[in-house]
Amino acid sequence: MRKLFSLMLVVLGAAALVSCSKDDDDVLRDGEGVITFVTEAKRIEVKKDSYYEPEEDLYLETFNAESITIDWGDGNEDEYVPVREEYKDEDGEIEVYYEIIPEHTYTDGNSSHTITVRGKIKWFIIDDCEVTSIDVTKCPALEGLDCRNNQLTSLDISKNTALHRLECYGNQFSASAMNKIYNDLPQGRVDEDGIRSSLRCDKLGDYSIAENKRWYVYVY
């Protein structure tokens, strides 16, 4: 009986360890965020525009050189290390940023895929990529979001208190959906480079709500 009881304790302990390990996978580290979106695109790629400049479907900037992971929703998960880039600003000072430009092709025949991006994401661009929904609520440190020219009908930015730039025109938002976006915007600000918070959107709803929050609004 004592041996049976000891065996039960071992089994229970192992189960607890497995559960804790799974919970640990769901816990975000300091400054880490998660963005999830659904796309009907068959390929995420870097294209050439009419001026032969790179045009990315998916582009990220991170806060530092730590890697991010992308679960492509088809059984493939990749880890990416950001590339350190730098440029001179108007004052001749060196500015540093870290970027990732991933690509992926789907061959499983499914009509849509749910993609999950995890890491210290600063800017997130996913434009013109047949995106039908996106969840950025688990990425509160996000400063820039560009999701223009997709198929979105709603966008929840109520948790994105650090947001400084948003481009969301060319989607399927109603006037009420845009009013929610205006109301959810954090208070606008001028950053250390003197750049004011900006919003680019379709001419829907009452965008003066955003202007009253000190956002510069461009309407299309």
PDB file of all heavy atoms in Angstrom, residues 92-123:
ATOM      1  N   GLY A  92      22.330  64.675 -37.541  1.00  0.00           N
ATOM      2  CA  GLY A  92      23.563  63.949 -37.760  1.00  0.00           C
ATOM      3  C   GLY A  92      23.860  62.887 -36.724  1.00  0.00           C
ATOM      4  O   GLY A  92      24.936  62.281 -36.748  1.00  0.00           O
ATOM      5  N   GLU A  93      22.906  62.641 -35.828  1.00  0.00           N
ATOM      6  CA  GLU A  93      23.099  61.626 -34.799  1.00  0.00           C
ATOM      7  C   GLU A  93      22.672  60.252 -35.316  1.00  0.00           C
ATOM      8  O   GLU A  93      21.746  60.134 -36.118  1.00  0.00           O
ATOM      9  CB  GLU A  93      22.307  61.980 -33.535  1.00  0.00           C
ATOM     10  CG  GLU A  93      22.772  63.268 -32.869  1.00  0.00           C
ATOM     11  CD  GLU A  93      22.032  63.544 -31.579  1.00  0.00           C
ATOM     12  OE1 GLU A  93      21.184  62.704 -31.182  1.00  0.00           O
ATOM     13  OE2 GLU A  93      22.283  64.597 -30.964  1.00  0.00           O
ATOM     14  N   ILE A  94      23.377  59.226 -34.849  1.00  0.00           N
ATOM     15  CA  ILE A  94      23.084  57.861 -35.277  1.00  0.00           C
ATOM     16  C   ILE A  94      21.889  57.304 -34.508  1.00  0.00           C
ATOM     17  O   ILE A  94      21.869  57.303 -33.281  1.00  0.00           O
ATOM     18  CB  ILE A  94      24.303  56.946 -35.068  1.00  0.00           C
ATOM     19  CG1 ILE A  94      25.506  57.463 -35.876  1.00  0.00           C
ATOM     20  CG2 ILE A  94      23.970  55.509 -35.464  1.00  0.00           C
ATOM     21  CD1 ILE A  94      25.291  57.452 -37.372  1.00  0.00           C
ATOM     22  N   GLU A  95      20.886  56.857 -35.250  1.00  0.00           N
ATOM     23  CA  GLU A  95      19.717  56.201 -34.673  1.00  0.00           C
ATOM     24  C   GLU A  95      19.783  54.715 -34.998  1.00  0.00           C
ATOM     25  O   GLU A  95      20.101  54.340 -36.137  1.00  0.00           O
ATOM     26  CB  GLU A  95      18.427  56.802 -35.216  1.00  0.00           C
ATOM     27  CG  GLU A  95      18.234  58.284 -34.930  1.00  0.00           C
ATOM     28  CD  GLU A  95      17.871  58.534 -33.482  1.00  0.00           C
ATOM     29  OE1 GLU A  95      17.396  57.587 -32.812  1.00  0.00           O
ATOM     30  OE2 GLU A  95      18.043  59.677 -33.024  1.00  0.00           O
ATOM     31  N   VAL A  96      19.505  53.878 -34.014  1.00  0.00           N
ATOM     32  CA  VAL A  96      19.584  52.424 -34.187  1.00  0.00           C
ATOM     33  C   VAL A  96      18.193  51.808 -34.084  1.00  0.00           C
ATOM     34  O   VAL A  96      17.379  52.212 -33.244  1.00  0.00           O
ATOM     35  CB  VAL A  96      20.506  51.802 -33.119  1.00  0.00           C
ATOM     36  CG1 VAL A  96      20.507  50.275 -33.226  1.00  0.00           C
ATOM     37  CG2 VAL A  96      21.932  52.343 -33.278  1.00  0.00           C
ATOM     38  N   TYR A  97      17.902  50.836 -34.939  1.00  0.00           N
ATOM     39  CA  TYR A  97      16.664  50.085 -34.832  1.00  0.00           C
ATOM     40  C   TYR A  97      16.922  48.640 -35.249  1.00  0.00           C
ATOM     41  O   TYR A  97      17.942  48.329 -35.868  1.00  0.00           O
ATOM     42  CB  TYR A  97      15.546  50.703 -35.680  1.00  0.00           C
ATOM     43  CG  TYR A  97      15.804  50.719 -37.168  1.00  0.00           C
ATOM     44  CD1 TYR A  97      15.256  49.742 -37.996  1.00  0.00           C
ATOM     45  CD2 TYR A  97      16.575  51.717 -37.751  1.00  0.00           C
ATOM     46  CE1 TYR A  97      15.474  49.752 -39.370  1.00  0.00           C
ATOM     47  CE2 TYR A  97      16.804  51.739 -39.124  1.00  0.00           C
ATOM     48  CZ  TYR A  97      16.260  50.757 -39.920  1.00  0.00           C
ATOM     49  OH  TYR A  97      16.472  50.767 -41.264  1.00  0.00           O
ATOM     50  N   TYR A  98      16.012  47.757 -34.874  1.00  0.00           N
ATOM     51  CA  TYR A  98      16.156  46.324 -35.145  1.00  0.00           C
ATOM     52  C   TYR A  98      14.944  45.863 -35.951  1.00  0.00           C
ATOM     53  O   TYR A  98      13.802  46.088 -35.547  1.00  0.00           O
ATOM     54  CB  TYR A  98      16.246  45.539 -33.832  1.00  0.00           C
ATOM     55  CG  TYR A  98      17.419  45.943 -32.973  1.00  0.00           C
ATOM     56  CD1 TYR A  98      17.296  46.956 -32.024  1.00  0.00           C
ATOM     57  CD2 TYR A  98      18.657  45.327 -33.114  1.00  0.00           C
ATOM     58  CE1 TYR A  98      18.372  47.338 -31.240  1.00  0.00           C
ATOM     59  CE2 TYR A  98      19.737  45.693 -32.335  1.00  0.00           C
ATOM     60  CZ  TYR A  98      19.593  46.706 -31.393  1.00  0.00           C
ATOM     61  OH  TYR A  98      20.661  47.083 -30.629  1.00  0.00           O
ATOM     62  N   GLU A  99      15.186  45.223 -37.092  1.00  0.00           N
ATOM     63  CA  GLU A  99      14.080  44.862 -37.967  1.00  0.00           C
ATOM     64  C   GLU A  99      14.095  43.386 -38.334  1.00  0.00           C
ATOM     65  O   GLU A  99      15.137  42.725 -38.337  1.00  0.00           O
ATOM     66  CB  GLU A  99      14.101  45.707 -39.245  1.00  0.00           C
ATOM     67  CG  GLU A  99      15.257  45.405 -40.174  1.00  0.00           C
ATOM     68  CD  GLU A  99      15.171  46.171 -41.488  1.00  0.00           C
ATOM     69  OE1 GLU A  99      14.346  47.097 -41.593  1.00  0.00           O
ATOM     70  OE2 GLU A  99      15.930  45.826 -42.414  1.00  0.00           O
ATOM     71  N   ILE A 100      12.899  42.897 -38.652  1.00  0.00           N
ATOM     72  CA  ILE A 100      12.709  41.519 -39.120  1.00  0.00           C
ATOM     73  C   ILE A 100      11.760  41.570 -40.311  1.00  0.00           C
ATOM     74  O   ILE A 100      10.704  42.217 -40.251  1.00  0.00           O
ATOM     75  CB  ILE A 100      12.106  40.629 -38.015  1.00  0.00           C
ATOM     76  CG1 ILE A 100      13.072  40.516 -36.832  1.00  0.00           C
ATOM     77  CG2 ILE A 100      11.763  39.248 -38.546  1.00  0.00           C
ATOM     78  CD1 ILE A 100      12.468  39.849 -35.622  1.00  0.00           C
ATOM     79  N   ILE A 101      12.129  40.899 -41.404  1.00  0.00           N
ATOM     80  CA  ILE A 101      11.278  40.846 -42.596  1.00  0.00           C
ATOM     81  C   ILE A 101      11.099  39.370 -42.963  1.00  0.00           C
ATOM     82  O   ILE A 101      11.858  38.820 -43.769  1.00  0.00           O
ATOM     83  CB  ILE A 101      11.893  41.635 -43.766  1.00  0.00           C
ATOM     84  CG1 ILE A 101      12.246  43.066 -43.332  1.00  0.00           C
ATOM     85  CG2 ILE A 101      10.912  41.669 -44.945  1.00  0.00           C
ATOM     86  CD1 ILE A 101      12.951  43.875 -44.394  1.00  0.00           C
ATOM     87  N   PRO A 102      10.120  38.705 -42.380  1.00  0.00           N
ATOM     88  CA  PRO A 102       9.944  37.265 -42.638  1.00  0.00           C
ATOM     89  C   PRO A 102       9.146  36.994 -43.903  1.00  0.00           C
ATOM     90  O   PRO A 102       8.375  37.830 -44.373  1.00  0.00           O
ATOM     91  CB  PRO A 102       9.171  36.806 -41.395  1.00  0.00           C
ATOM     92  CG  PRO A 102       8.399  38.011 -40.964  1.00  0.00           C
ATOM     93  CD  PRO A 102       9.188  39.220 -41.384  1.00  0.00           C
ATOM     94  N   GLU A 103       9.339  35.793 -44.440  1.00  0.00           N
ATOM     95  CA  GLU A 103       8.572  35.317 -45.593  1.00  0.00           C
ATOM     96  C   GLU A 103       8.115  33.886 -45.326  1.00  0.00           C
ATOM     97  O   GLU A 103       8.778  33.140 -44.616  1.00  0.00           O
ATOM     98  CB  GLU A 103       9.412  35.364 -46.864  1.00  0.00           C
ATOM     99  CG  GLU A 103       9.826  36.755 -47.306  1.00  0.00           C
ATOM    100  CD  GLU A 103      10.541  36.743 -48.650  1.00  0.00           C
ATOM    101  OE1 GLU A 103       9.857  36.598 -49.687  1.00  0.00           O
ATOM    102  OE2 GLU A 103      11.781  36.857 -48.654  1.00  0.00           O
ATOM    103  N   HIS A 104       6.982  33.522 -45.924  1.00  0.00           N
ATOM    104  CA  HIS A 104       6.483  32.159 -45.732  1.00  0.00           C
ATOM    105  C   HIS A 104       5.504  31.826 -46.851  1.00  0.00           C
ATOM    106  O   HIS A 104       4.723  32.673 -47.285  1.00  0.00           O
ATOM    107  CB  HIS A 104       5.775  32.034 -44.379  1.00  0.00           C
ATOM    108  CG  HIS A 104       5.424  30.631 -44.013  1.00  0.00           C
ATOM    109  ND1 HIS A 104       6.350  29.706 -43.594  1.00  0.00           N
ATOM    110  CD2 HIS A 104       4.228  29.976 -44.000  1.00  0.00           C
ATOM    111  CE1 HIS A 104       5.761  28.557 -43.329  1.00  0.00           C
ATOM    112  NE2 HIS A 104       4.467  28.701 -43.581  1.00  0.00           N
ATOM    113  N   THR A 105       5.538  30.576 -47.309  1.00  0.00           N
ATOM    114  CA  THR A 105       4.620  30.093 -48.336  1.00  0.00           C
ATOM    115  C   THR A 105       3.801  28.935 -47.784  1.00  0.00           C
ATOM    116  O   THR A 105       4.355  28.033 -47.147  1.00  0.00           O
ATOM    117  CB  THR A 105       5.386  29.625 -49.590  1.00  0.00           C
ATOM    118  OG1 THR A 105       6.137  30.731 -50.113  1.00  0.00           O
ATOM    119  CG2 THR A 105       4.431  29.118 -50.663  1.00  0.00           C
ATOM    120  N   TYR A 106       2.490  28.972 -48.022  1.00  0.00           N
ATOM    121  CA  TYR A 106       1.605  27.905 -47.561  1.00  0.00           C
ATOM    122  C   TYR A 106       1.386  26.870 -48.655  1.00  0.00           C
ATOM    123  O   TYR A 106       1.107  27.213 -49.807  1.00  0.00           O
ATOM    124  CB  TYR A 106       0.264  28.487 -47.119  1.00  0.00           C
ATOM    125  CG  TYR A 106       0.360  29.305 -45.858  1.00  0.00           C
ATOM    126  CD1 TYR A 106       0.344  30.697 -45.912  1.00  0.00           C
ATOM    127  CD2 TYR A 106       0.485  28.687 -44.625  1.00  0.00           C
ATOM    128  CE1 TYR A 106       0.448  31.452 -44.755  1.00  0.00           C
ATOM    129  CE2 TYR A 106       0.590  29.433 -43.469  1.00  0.00           C
ATOM    130  CZ  TYR A 106       0.571  30.802 -43.534  1.00  0.00           C
ATOM    131  OH  TYR A 106       0.684  31.551 -42.383  1.00  0.00           O
ATOM    132  N   THR A 107       1.508  25.616 -48.278  1.00  0.00           N
ATOM    133  CA  THR A 107       1.324  24.525 -49.240  1.00  0.00           C
ATOM    134  C   THR A 107       0.309  23.494 -48.746  1.00  0.00           C
ATOM    135  O   THR A 107       0.143  22.449 -49.373  1.00  0.00           O
ATOM    136  CB  THR A 107       2.668  23.809 -49.498  1.00  0.00           C
ATOM    137  OG1 THR A 107       3.192  23.296 -48.262  1.00  0.00           O
ATOM    138  CG2 THR A 107       3.687  24.761 -50.112  1.00  0.00           C
ATOM    139  N   ASP A 108      -0.366  23.792 -47.621  1.00  0.00           N
ATOM    140  CA  ASP A 108      -1.279  22.802 -47.043  1.00  0.00           C
ATOM    141  C   ASP A 108      -2.675  22.838 -47.652  1.00  0.00           C
ATOM    142  O   ASP A 108      -3.527  22.012 -47.326  1.00  0.00           O
ATOM    143  CB  ASP A 108      -1.362  22.964 -45.527  1.00  0.00           C
ATOM    144  CG  ASP A 108      -1.831  24.353 -45.093  1.00  0.00           C
ATOM    145  OD1 ASP A 108      -2.197  25.156 -45.974  1.00  0.00           O
ATOM    146  OD2 ASP A 108      -1.811  24.629 -43.877  1.00  0.00           O
ATOM    147  N   GLY A 109      -2.961  23.815 -48.500  1.00  0.00           N
ATOM    148  CA  GLY A 109      -4.255  23.875 -49.169  1.00  0.00           C
ATOM    149  C   GLY A 109      -5.366  24.507 -48.358  1.00  0.00           C
ATOM    150  O   GLY A 109      -6.489  24.640 -48.857  1.00  0.00           O
ATOM    151  N   ASN A 110      -5.111  24.920 -47.122  1.00  0.00           N
ATOM    152  CA  ASN A 110      -6.136  25.555 -46.304  1.00  0.00           C
ATOM    153  C   ASN A 110      -6.429  26.970 -46.798  1.00  0.00           C
ATOM    154  O   ASN A 110      -5.539  27.662 -47.306  1.00  0.00           O
ATOM    155  CB  ASN A 110      -5.705  25.593 -44.839  1.00  0.00           C
ATOM    156  CG  ASN A 110      -5.665  24.218 -44.215  1.00  0.00           C
ATOM    157  OD1 ASN A 110      -6.336  23.296 -44.680  1.00  0.00           O
ATOM    158  ND2 ASN A 110      -4.867  24.057 -43.172  1.00  0.00           N
ATOM    159  N   SER A 111      -7.683  27.400 -46.620  1.00  0.00           N
ATOM    160  CA  SER A 111      -8.099  28.698 -47.152  1.00  0.00           C
ATOM    161  C   SER A 111      -7.646  29.862 -46.287  1.00  0.00           C
ATOM    162  O   SER A 111      -7.567  31.006 -46.760  1.00  0.00           O
ATOM    163  CB  SER A 111      -9.627  28.739 -47.301  1.00  0.00           C
ATOM    164  OG  SER A 111     -10.259  28.515 -46.040  1.00  0.00           O
ATOM    165  N   SER A 112      -7.359  29.626 -45.008  1.00  0.00           N
ATOM    166  CA  SER A 112      -6.884  30.691 -44.126  1.00  0.00           C
ATOM    167  C   SER A 112      -5.985  30.104 -43.047  1.00  0.00           C
ATOM    168  O   SER A 112      -6.028  28.894 -42.785  1.00  0.00           O
ATOM    169  CB  SER A 112      -8.059  31.438 -43.486  1.00  0.00           C
ATOM    170  OG  SER A 112      -8.765  30.585 -42.587  1.00  0.00           O
ATOM    171  N   HIS A 113      -5.184  30.972 -42.430  1.00  0.00           N
ATOM    172  CA  HIS A 113      -4.257  30.534 -41.387  1.00  0.00           C
ATOM    173  C   HIS A 113      -4.207  31.580 -40.276  1.00  0.00           C
ATOM    174  O   HIS A 113      -4.313  32.785 -40.545  1.00  0.00           O
ATOM    175  CB  HIS A 113      -2.852  30.333 -41.954  1.00  0.00           C
ATOM    176  CG  HIS A 113      -2.773  29.259 -42.985  1.00  0.00           C
ATOM    177  ND1 HIS A 113      -3.009  29.503 -44.330  1.00  0.00           N
ATOM    178  CD2 HIS A 113      -2.499  27.920 -42.878  1.00  0.00           C
ATOM    179  CE1 HIS A 113      -2.887  28.374 -44.999  1.00  0.00           C
ATOM    180  NE2 HIS A 113      -2.580  27.407 -44.165  1.00  0.00           N
ATOM    181  N   THR A 114      -4.068  31.097 -39.052  1.00  0.00           N
ATOM    182  CA  THR A 114      -3.912  31.978 -37.895  1.00  0.00           C
ATOM    183  C   THR A 114      -2.434  32.046 -37.538  1.00  0.00           C
ATOM    184  O   THR A 114      -1.828  31.036 -37.195  1.00  0.00           O
ATOM    185  CB  THR A 114      -4.720  31.459 -36.694  1.00  0.00           C
ATOM    186  OG1 THR A 114      -6.108  31.408 -37.042  1.00  0.00           O
ATOM    187  CG2 THR A 114      -4.538  32.383 -35.489  1.00  0.00           C
ATOM    188  N   ILE A 115      -1.867  33.223 -37.637  1.00  0.00           N
ATOM    189  CA  ILE A 115      -0.443  33.443 -37.395  1.00  0.00           C
ATOM    190  C   ILE A 115      -0.257  34.124 -36.042  1.00  0.00           C
ATOM    191  O   ILE A 115      -0.952  35.091 -35.729  1.00  0.00           O
ATOM    192  CB  ILE A 115       0.172  34.303 -38.508  1.00  0.00           C
ATOM    193  CG1 ILE A 115      -0.011  33.608 -39.860  1.00  0.00           C
ATOM    194  CG2 ILE A 115       1.648  34.591 -38.242  1.00  0.00           C
ATOM    195  CD1 ILE A 115       0.452  34.432 -41.046  1.00  0.00           C
ATOM    196  N   THR A 116       0.683  33.610 -35.258  1.00  0.00           N
ATOM    197  CA  THR A 116       0.962  34.169 -33.936  1.00  0.00           C
ATOM    198  C   THR A 116       2.418  34.618 -33.869  1.00  0.00           C
ATOM    199  O   THR A 116       3.322  33.835 -34.119  1.00  0.00           O
ATOM    200  CB  THR A 116       0.686  33.133 -32.823  1.00  0.00           C
ATOM    201  OG1 THR A 116      -0.679  32.697 -32.909  1.00  0.00           O
ATOM    202  CG2 THR A 116       0.932  33.746 -31.444  1.00  0.00           C
ATOM    203  N   VAL A 117       2.609  35.884 -33.540  1.00  0.00           N
ATOM    204  CA  VAL A 117       3.945  36.471 -33.428  1.00  0.00           C
ATOM    205  C   VAL A 117       4.197  36.824 -31.972  1.00  0.00           C
ATOM    206  O   VAL A 117       3.361  37.459 -31.331  1.00  0.00           O
ATOM    207  CB  VAL A 117       4.073  37.740 -34.298  1.00  0.00           C
ATOM    208  CG1 VAL A 117       5.497  38.286 -34.247  1.00  0.00           C
ATOM    209  CG2 VAL A 117       3.645  37.454 -35.726  1.00  0.00           C
ATOM    210  N   ARG A 118       5.362  36.409 -31.465  1.00  0.00           N
ATOM    211  CA  ARG A 118       5.655  36.610 -30.045  1.00  0.00           C
ATOM    212  C   ARG A 118       7.059  37.195 -29.884  1.00  0.00           C
ATOM    213  O   ARG A 118       8.018  36.689 -30.458  1.00  0.00           O
ATOM    214  CB  ARG A 118       5.557  35.285 -29.290  1.00  0.00           C
ATOM    215  CG  ARG A 118       5.884  35.389 -27.803  1.00  0.00           C
ATOM    216  CD  ARG A 118       5.599  34.072 -27.123  1.00  0.00           C
ATOM    217  NE  ARG A 118       5.927  34.114 -25.701  1.00  0.00           N
ATOM    218  CZ  ARG A 118       5.274  33.475 -24.752  1.00  0.00           C
ATOM    219  NH1 ARG A 118       4.256  32.713 -25.071  1.00  0.00           N
ATOM    220  NH2 ARG A 118       5.627  33.578 -23.498  1.00  0.00           N
ATOM    221  N   GLY A 119       7.157  38.262 -29.117  1.00  0.00           N
ATOM    222  CA  GLY A 119       8.453  38.883 -28.861  1.00  0.00           C
ATOM    223  C   GLY A 119       8.274  40.324 -28.408  1.00  0.00           C
ATOM    224  O   GLY A 119       7.160  40.780 -28.143  1.00  0.00           O
ATOM    225  N   LYS A 120       9.381  41.050 -28.346  1.00  0.00           N
ATOM    226  CA  LYS A 120       9.355  42.452 -27.919  1.00  0.00           C
ATOM    227  C   LYS A 120       9.139  43.328 -29.150  1.00  0.00           C
ATOM    228  O   LYS A 120      10.062  43.926 -29.693  1.00  0.00           O
ATOM    229  CB  LYS A 120      10.633  42.797 -27.170  1.00  0.00           C
ATOM    230  CG  LYS A 120      10.773  42.012 -25.860  1.00  0.00           C
ATOM    231  CD  LYS A 120      11.970  42.443 -25.041  1.00  0.00           C
ATOM    232  CE  LYS A 120      12.007  41.683 -23.709  1.00  0.00           C
ATOM    233  NZ  LYS A 120      13.155  42.079 -22.861  1.00  0.00           N
ATOM    234  N   ILE A 121       7.874  43.406 -29.555  1.00  0.00           N
ATOM    235  CA  ILE A 121       7.490  44.035 -30.811  1.00  0.00           C
ATOM    236  C   ILE A 121       7.247  45.533 -30.601  1.00  0.00           C
ATOM    237  O   ILE A 121       6.439  45.933 -29.772  1.00  0.00           O
ATOM    238  CB  ILE A 121       6.224  43.378 -31.379  1.00  0.00           C
ATOM    239  CG1 ILE A 121       6.401  41.853 -31.455  1.00  0.00           C
ATOM    240  CG2 ILE A 121       5.882  43.946 -32.745  1.00  0.00           C
ATOM    241  CD1 ILE A 121       5.105  41.097 -31.661  1.00  0.00           C
ATOM    242  N   LYS A 122       7.928  46.339 -31.401  1.00  0.00           N
ATOM    243  CA  LYS A 122       7.791  47.798 -31.324  1.00  0.00           C
ATOM    244  C   LYS A 122       6.893  48.322 -32.442  1.00  0.00           C
ATOM    245  O   LYS A 122       6.002  49.129 -32.201  1.00  0.00           O
ATOM    246  CB  LYS A 122       9.166  48.450 -31.400  1.00  0.00           C
ATOM    247  CG  LYS A 122       9.163  49.965 -31.247  1.00  0.00           C
ATOM    248  CD  LYS A 122      10.592  50.518 -31.262  1.00  0.00           C
ATOM    249  CE  LYS A 122      10.604  52.020 -31.042  1.00  0.00           C
ATOM    250  NZ  LYS A 122      11.996  52.553 -31.051  1.00  0.00           N
ATOM    251  N   TRP A 123       7.159  47.894 -33.672  1.00  0.00           N
ATOM    252  CA  TRP A 123       6.348  48.265 -34.840  1.00  0.00           C
ATOM    253  C   TRP A 123       5.905  46.995 -35.542  1.00  0.00           C
ATOM    254  O   TRP A 123       6.680  46.041 -35.660  1.00  0.00           O
ATOM    255  CB  TRP A 123       7.173  49.112 -35.814  1.00  0.00           C
ATOM    256  CG  TRP A 123       7.395  50.521 -35.360  1.00  0.00           C
ATOM    257  CD1 TRP A 123       8.238  50.935 -34.358  1.00  0.00           C
ATOM    258  CD2 TRP A 123       6.776  51.698 -35.873  1.00  0.00           C
ATOM    259  NE1 TRP A 123       8.179  52.290 -34.237  1.00  0.00           N
ATOM    260  CE2 TRP A 123       7.300  52.788 -35.147  1.00  0.00           C
ATOM    261  CE3 TRP A 123       5.857  51.930 -36.884  1.00  0.00           C
ATOM    262  CZ2 TRP A 123       6.919  54.098 -35.399  1.00  0.00           C
ATOM    263  CZ3 TRP A 123       5.474  53.239 -37.140  1.00  0.00           C
ATOM    264  CH2 TRP A 123       5.998  54.306 -36.404  1.00  0.00           C
TER     265      TRP A 123
END
